Amino acid sequence: MILIVDDDKAVRLSLSVSLRHSGYEVMAVEGADEALAAVRARCPDLVIMDMNFGGGTDGADGLALLQRVKVLCPGTPVILITAWGSIPLAVEGVKLGAFDFMTKPWNPRLLVQRVATALEIASPTEKSSFERPGIIGRSTALTDLLDMAARIAPTDASVLITGENGTGKELLARAIHENSTRRKGPFVAVNLGGIPQSLFESEMFGHVRGAFTGAVGERKGRFELADGGTIFLDEIGELDINSQVKLLRVLQEHTFEPLGDSRPRRTDIRVICATNADLPAMMAERTFREDLYYRINTITMRLPSLAERRDDIPLLVRHFAVGLSAEFSPEAMEVLRRLPYPGNIRQLKSIVSRAAYIAAGPSVSADDVRRAADSEPIRQSEAPSGSIPEKRTLEEIERDAVADALRRHPGNLSAAAASLGITRQSLYRRMEKFGFEP
């Protein structure tokens, strides 16, 4: 049974008709009291609820009801409905456990699709092994994420992977592909931040001979190469507005036209996107299209930073050290566990490699690790066990890391970005955020 909660009779009727037409059992109620009574009587399979009741605009009643529902029925997915101007409120709801949110007016077909995905993912399944090549760790933050990935992988739902640079977004995307029904098909990874706007169509859709000067033969685009498999669109937040429109059309219609060819070609793909950008903020600034965001964001998965999974550091160090024929002493391991890692796993691997080369023999000491960390482009400081340095926020650490990289590479933004383990475009965003002039 799907429970609809909205104080607008027209909304309740519209949602009920759409869902019943799709074969779902529906119950619609007006407010929080009726909703809680229904939930206490029987945990629904899914809840669709408005964020504002009784004419309120702050969403406090909606957030309170969401929390009560999640306490009474923890396994029930909740889809929030909100006005465009209240997206930050909906994001807060997602943080409190909502499965997804949609804005008014909604697309009925898209709503039914999201309901089907939520129910499929939430339905109990037998515990199955999830192949995780290259993903190392046993922390709660990581295993919870992989449990979710195991449920998502067999579906064809589009996935948006968020998280800081260096956390392993492509590894997670590959793992989802390898555990899907498309595993025998290709996995095509595309860094959208590295494709100039003028080359976007040629790179993504291909071209025929003579399509432009220098097109001496036919070339398949990434969508055609990914047919029957998965396409991984990394750095999607770097895509310009014009290219976003072209991408949206392919994702909606599953067809594209190579440059110089007016005949549409079909593509059967699963889409996984990744970004470290704040896409909801970009939507508010009109630099990222809302319709594209909802198209790629059936499921959002946030990869934890290394600071959130410090217990995994010893496992990662041993994994990286295997190919280096090095053994890290307990003292060295403790120093590694305490360091801040704005560059995340990528930075940890760099320090481990450097420490192994610095060491006089196969045994790596704490001093070797400190020397390796001191020579990092990002200046390190040890933190208390299990935490970041005292009295410094993550934002302060990030600001200092960017400033240090700019000092070490004056006038060379590409080198500064590379030393931080981020793209040049990401460095630009951070420079603007912290008020640094190029």
Side-chain angles (χ1 to χ4, degrees):
M1 183 265 290
I2 296 176
L3 176 64
I4 297 170
V5 189
D6 199 300
D7 58 4
D8 187 324
K9 184 177 181 180
V11 171
R12 294 199 303 273
L13 180 60
S14 175
L15 288 171
S16 298
V17 169
S18 293
L19 293 171
R20 287 190 177 116
H21 182 72
S22 299
Y24 295 111
E25 178 190 354
V26 177
M27 178 180 182
V29 299
E30 182 175 356
D33 291 341
E34 299 97 316
L36 288 173
V39 168
R40 289 190 182 102
R42 170 190 174 189
C43 274
D45 298 311
L46 182 138
V47 175
I48 300 175
M49 57 173 281
D50 192 6
M51 292 294 289
N52 297 309
F53 297 110
T57 58
D58 63 357
D61 292 339
L63 291 176
L65 176 59
L66 168 65
Q67 291 176 288
R68 295 291 300 278
V69 169
K70 296 306 291 183
V71 168
L72 293 169
C73 301
T76 296
V78 178
I79 296 178
L80 306 176
I81 296 180
T82 186
W84 165 256
S86 302
I87 282 184
L89 181 63
V91 172
E92 185 63 28
V94 172
K95 291 178 182 176
L96 292 174
F99 174 81
D100 201 354
F101 68 89
M102 298 191 71
T103 57
K104 299 176 181 177
W106 61 86
N107 180 316
R109 185 172 59 84
L110 182 57
L111 174 69
V112 171
Q113 177 187 338
R114 293 193 174 207
V115 165
T117 299
L119 291 172
E120 185 173 6
I121 291 172
S123 61
T125 56
E126 291 184 9
K127 201 75 175 179
S128 60
S129 59
F130 181 77
E131 297 295 329
R132 39 187 273 183
I135 300 178
I136 308 298
R138 292 196 294 261
S139 63
T140 301
L142 183 64
T143 53
D144 286 350
L145 185 76
L146 294 178
D147 285 345
M148 184 179 183
R151 303 173 80 171
I152 290 169
T155 75
D156 236 5
S158 59
V159 180
L160 176 63
I161 303 174
T162 65
E164 299 173 9
N165 276 312
T167 49
K169 292 188 283 292
E170 184 172 340
L171 279 177
L172 179 59
R174 285 185 180 275
I176 292 173
H177 170 74
E178 292 298 331
N179 288 272
S180 75
T181 56
R182 296 176 175 269
R183 67 178 68 89
K184 294 183 179 179
F187 177 89
V188 177
V190 186
N191 182 353
L192 294 176
I195 300 178
Q197 180 181 350
S198 59
L199 297 179
F200 178 79
E201 287 186 83
S202 175
E203 284 289 326
M204 301 305 294
F205 312 139
H207 61 253
V208 297
R209 181 179 180 181
F212 52 85
T213 304
V216 295
E218 183 172 335
R219 182 181 185 275
K220 291 183 178 180
R222 306 299 180 87
F223 277 101
E224 189 169 356
L225 292 172
D227 189 45
T230 302
I231 190 166
F232 173 59
L233 304 177
D234 198 7
E235 299 285 1
I236 195 163
E238 307 286 353
L239 205 57
D240 65 275
I241 286 290
N242 290 333
S243 298
Q244 289 176 32
V245 175
K246 296 166 185 173
L247 176 60
L248 177 63
R249 182 187 172 197
V250 181
L251 301 186
Q252 285 178 329
E253 301 175 8
H254 295 279
T255 62
F256 64 93
E257 294 174 4
L259 278 177
D261 189 348
S262 60
R263 295 169 300 174
R265 301 185 186 181
R266 291 200 61 81
T267 181
D268 173 25
I269 53 169
R270 182 185 194 165
V271 179
I272 302 178
C273 299
T275 185
N276 65 348
D278 186 346
L279 295 187
M282 292 177 67
M283 286 193 293
E285 297 166 358
R286 299 294 191 268
T287 56
F288 198 87
R289 293 181 61 97
E290 178 192 5
D291 44 10
L292 177 59
Y293 176 77
Y294 289 126
R295 177 60 61 180
I296 65 175
N297 187 30
T298 302
I299 305 293
T300 298
M301 303 184 71
R302 188 187 75 86
L303 267 169
S305 66
L306 192 54
E308 297 173 82
R309 41 178 294 214
R310 289 185 177 275
D311 290 344
D312 286 337
I313 288 177
L315 292 173
L316 288 162
V317 172
R318 294 186 187 102
H319 174 72
F320 296 144
V322 168
L324 300 169
S325 299
E327 183 176 341
F328 285 73
S329 68
E331 295 77 16
M333 200 71 82
E334 184 59 25
V335 173
L336 284 165
R337 205 176 68 82
R338 288 179 168 186
L339 292 171
Y341 293 99
N344 291 291
I345 298 172
R346 189 180 298 145
Q347 186 183 359
L348 171 63
K349 183 177 182 180
S350 173
I351 293 175
V352 168
S353 298
R354 190 176 285 109
Y357 294 137
I358 289 173
S363 180
V364 180
S365 69
D367 286 339
D368 294 330
V369 171
R370 292 190 183 96
R371 286 198 296 272
D374 286 341
S375 62
E376 273 283 285
I378 301 174
R379 186 174 293 118
Q380 303 287 339
S381 59
E382 289 188 27
S385 179
S387 69
I388 60 174
E390 255 184 279
K391 298 182 180 179
R392 295 187 71 207
T393 65
L394 285 173
E395 185 165 322
E396 288 171 336
I397 293 172
E398 183 183 33
R399 181 198 61 211
D400 292 347
V402 171
D404 189 63
L406 294 173
R407 281 195 298 268
R408 289 174 178 269
H409 302 279
N412 190 339
L413 295 184
S414 295
S419 72
L420 290 166
I422 61 178
T423 65
R424 186 184 174 103
Q425 291 90 340
S426 296
L427 177 59
Y428 275 128
R429 284 203 304 272
R430 284 167 171 78
M431 290 171 65
E432 183 177 352
K433 173 182 176 182
F434 297 120
F436 296 148
E437 294 293 330

